Amino acid sequence: MNVRRLIPTAALAGAVALGATALTACSGAGATGSKDGKVGVTASFYPMQFLAEQIGKDHVKVDGLTKPGVEPHDLEITPKQTAQLGEADVVVYLKSLQPAVDKAVAQSGVKNIVDAATLTELEVHGSGHEHGAEEGHAEGEGHDHSHGEAGKDPHVWLDPSKYAEIAKGVGAALEKADPDHAADYRKNTDELVGKLTALDTEFKDGLQNTASKTFITTHSAFGYLAERYGLDQEAISGVDPESEPSPARMKELQGLAKQENVSTVFFETLASDKTARTLAADTGLKTDVLDPLEGITDKSQGADYFEVMRSNLKNLQKALGAK
């Protein structure tokens, strides 16, 4: 496991202590995480933050633990952020994606905790062709392309249908936390689910007829998207976008690119594009962006989830030879 993803035990203990202090400072069960009377929501990273904002709208104040430009897998929790967690009315996170967040949430004492991983069925995905130590991978390199509970893939938000299931759960949690505005939360949830259903249709129609079904990307974040739309994902690295692929894996991908009529190697905005560009140069392929939507920055191909997903669709259509 990437050691950068772990927070030291002593630091975690101190952070939890601060969080507990923040909790006792609250004025009882009726306290809210926002001074202006809105429901205080703390979201672990962008896809969870986007749901809370779209469903809560004017009734919530949403704070994100993962700031723009930070790779969420590597997030380390500060004492201030743990205190922020303890003061929230609602916490929305995705268990198994960010180990540091999982630990802090478990210690937060917040009553309304929404774990997106319980709101839809998580699946185990590989990166296409599985490969092991016999191909030159040292044990512990992480080439099983899975993590989390029982090796299940947490990148569910890249499947609009599964993201819609999570949206419904977040909406229900906000209704419970703020029953006075339950009707608004239901209305906003229904609108968001409708938009996600329309996006799903766009992807189905847009990727139905393509010259190739295989795409190569930096890390294996697109298993749900590939499965939903009949594609094959081949990842350079595993779930850690910063891990270095072995020479054997790079050679394997070079052969696969020729065999499967692959035209493009995709990279992403929050991680290094070095390996993607190296592979593309070695195979004479193009490069383009396929964004796993773990965060939005000024480099993103869109301002929000829907805009970036439609950019992803356009880039996939171009790379796969959509007809």
Side-chain angles (χ1 to χ4, degrees):
M1 180 179 287
N2 189 338
V3 294
R4 291 179 301 152
R5 297 186 193 171
L6 301 177
I7 53 178
T9 303
L12 178 62
V16 170
L18 277 176
T21 301
L23 272 175
T24 52
C26 289
S27 58
T32 65
S34 176
K35 293 179 181 179
D36 56 10
K38 295 184 178 183
V39 176
V41 180
T42 296
S44 58
F45 74 127
Y46 176 73
M48 303 298 105
Q49 181 177 339
F50 183 71
L51 290 183
E53 290 170 346
Q54 293 293 302
I55 296 169
K57 293 192 176 178
D58 293 339
H59 300 311
V60 301
K61 181 180 183 299
V62 183
D63 293 307
L65 289 176
T66 307
K67 301 307 176 187
V70 173
E71 215 291 322
H73 295 270
D74 294 333
L75 179 69
E76 295 184 3
I77 297 293
T78 65
K80 181 179 179 181
Q81 287 176 312
T82 302
Q84 176 184 329
L85 267 174
E87 293 174 341
D89 297 311
V90 179
V91 171
V92 184
Y93 81 121
L94 179 56
K95 189 175 182 180
S96 83
L97 183 77
Q98 299 169 287
V101 173
D102 295 351
K103 293 178 182 178
V105 169
Q107 299 290 336
S108 69
V110 174
K111 181 180 178 182
N112 297 303
I113 294 176
V114 185
D115 174 11
T118 66
L119 301 175
T120 187
E121 184 178 355
L122 298 190
E123 302 166 0
V124 177
H125 293 132
S127 69
H129 293 76
E130 297 304 320
H131 27 273
E134 69 277 8
E135 296 179 11
H137 303 311
E139 186 176 353
E141 275 191 6
H143 286 278
D144 60 350
H145 304 285
S146 59
H147 64 179
E149 186 179 354
K152 292 182 178 178
D153 182 356
H155 300 88
V156 283
W157 62 92
L158 292 166
D159 177 341
S161 293
K162 285 190 171 292
Y163 199 40
E165 292 175 2
I166 296 170
K168 293 175 185 177
V170 172
L174 289 176
E175 287 182 42
K176 179 181 177 183
D178 183 20
D180 289 346
H181 299 110
D184 288 343
Y185 296 134
R186 280 194 294 272
K187 176 177 176 288
N188 296 342
T189 300
D190 289 344
E191 288 180 357
L192 180 57
V193 169
K195 291 178 181 178
L196 289 168
T197 300
L199 181 66
D200 176 50
T201 300
E202 288 179 43
F203 267 79
K204 284 178 181 173
D205 292 346
L207 297 171
Q208 190 171 11
N209 297 306
T210 57
S212 175
K213 294 295 183 183
T214 301
F215 63 95
I216 297 175
T217 186
T218 305
H219 85 292
S220 55
F222 300 92
Y224 291 102
L225 185 150
E227 183 173 306
R228 174 70 64 182
Y229 305 114
L231 306 178
D232 296 315
Q233 167 189 243
E234 288 289 344
I236 298 173
S237 305
V239 293
D240 178 7
E242 301 294 350
S243 67
E244 290 291 332
S246 71
R249 179 58 175 162
M250 293 292 276
K251 184 177 180 181
E252 180 185 11
L253 288 171
Q254 290 174 20
L256 185 74
K258 294 178 182 178
Q259 179 183 333
E260 299 294 336
N261 193 28
V262 175
S263 68
T264 306
V265 179
F266 288 110
F267 61 92
E268 54 198 63
T269 52
L270 294 184
S272 171
D273 61 0
K274 180 182 175 182
T275 53
R277 292 193 182 280
T278 297
L279 177 61
D282 290 345
T283 52
L285 301 177
K286 305 170 189 173
T287 58
D288 208 341
V289 173
L290 195 61
D291 196 326
L293 263 162
E294 294 174 342
I296 295 283
T297 70
D298 55 4
K299 295 180 180 179
S300 299
Q301 294 187 343
D304 64 15
Y305 174 86
F306 287 104
E307 289 186 7
V308 175
M309 282 294 282
R310 289 190 170 99
S311 292
N312 282 343
L313 173 57
K314 181 180 177 181
N315 293 345
L316 279 169
Q317 287 177 305
K318 183 168 64 173
L320 297 174
K323 301 172 184 177

